[in-house]
């Protein structure tokens, strides 16, 4: 369980299109990211620990939500070992509604040749928002010497209304 610190979600907020009002946080954990998103948006929170498997067929889940209230965006910090699958599923679900997807991933996630369909070959890939601070996932005990975080992260952003090449931005 890697809970996303508030500053990480706040770094994304200026990059979410103004028309977005409803967001789905599909790997919500204990709700730290959702808490930040709820300050601006209606948020649907689901998590596999609550029996909602995002990678399963979502037809039943979405059929329970009236069309006018369906999410316009999926924003999450996916489990790293399932990040490709989360990305593919999010893009499939948001394409019919011309939606927005933002996933918190390691900065080099877009480097893999096997993921070119998500980046180079995907017209919805709009932006890579590089975080210039490393995320501390677990605070060390008071007085303990902790190791520095070893990975850099970025928000990878897809927008089905995007036109043109992707851009790169830098957050805190």
């Amino acid at each position: 369980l890697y809970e996303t610190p508030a500053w990480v979600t706040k770094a994304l907020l200026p990059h979410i299109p103004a028309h977005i009002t409803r967001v789905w946080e599909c790997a919500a954990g204990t709700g730290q990211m959702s808490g930040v998103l709820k300050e601006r948006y209606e948020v649907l929170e689901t998590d596999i620990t609550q029996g909602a498997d995002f990678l399963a067929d979502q037809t039943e889940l979405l059929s329970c939500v009236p069309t006018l209230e369906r999410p316009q965006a999926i924003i999450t910090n996916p489990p790293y070992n399932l990040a490709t699958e989360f990305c593919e599923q999010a893009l499939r679900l948001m394409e019919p509604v011309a939606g927005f997807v933002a996933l918190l991933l390691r900065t080099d996630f877009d480097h893999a040749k096997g993921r070119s369909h998500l980046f180079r070959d995907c017209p919805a890939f709009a932006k890579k928002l590089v975080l210039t601070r490393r995320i501390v996932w677990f605070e060390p005990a008071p007085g303990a010497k902790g190791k520095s975080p070893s990975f850099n992260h970025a928000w990878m952003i897809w927008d089905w209304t995007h036109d043109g090449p992707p851009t790169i931005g830098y957050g805190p």
Side-chain angles (χ1 to χ4, degrees), residues 57-157:
D57 182 9
Q58 296 301 314
T59 307
E60 184 178 329
L61 176 64
L62 290 177
S63 69
C64 298
V65 180
T67 304
L68 293 175
E69 297 174 10
R70 288 192 181 163
Q72 303 155 304
I74 294 174
I75 298 173
T76 197
N77 174 6
Y80 186 73
N81 63 330
L82 297 171
T84 299
E85 293 86 347
F86 264 69
C87 183
E88 291 168 343
Q89 177 79 316
L91 288 171
R92 262 192 306 275
L93 294 169
M94 289 294 102
E95 184 175 15
V97 296
F100 177 88
V101 174
L103 301 181
L104 181 63
L105 301 164
R106 289 185 184 170
T107 305
D108 63 353
F109 190 79
D110 59 341
H111 294 197
K113 185 177 181 180
R115 296 186 195 117
S116 62
H117 67 291
L118 301 173
F119 297 99
R120 181 191 67 206
D121 303 334
C122 183
F125 183 55
K127 182 179 262 187
K128 180 176 184 176
L129 178 62
V130 177
L131 301 176
T132 57
R133 292 174 37 198
R134 287 186 173 170
I135 300 169
V136 177
W137 296 109
F138 305 100
E139 291 294 331
K145 290 185 178 180
K147 290 185 175 182
S148 297
S150 58
F151 295 106
N152 296 308
H153 286 81
W155 283 104
M156 303 294 186
I157 298 170

Side-chain angles (χ1 to χ4, degrees), residues 1-6 9 25-39 43-47 49-50 76:
L1 184 64
Y2 287 79
E3 294 291 343
T4 306
T9 307
E25 212 295 45
C26 56
T30 61
Q32 283 191 277
M33 185 182 295
S34 296
V36 174
L37 294 170
K38 285 178 181 177
E39 294 174 13
V43 179
L44 169 64
E45 293 175 86
T46 60
D47 193 87
T49 61
Q50 303 158 349
T76 197

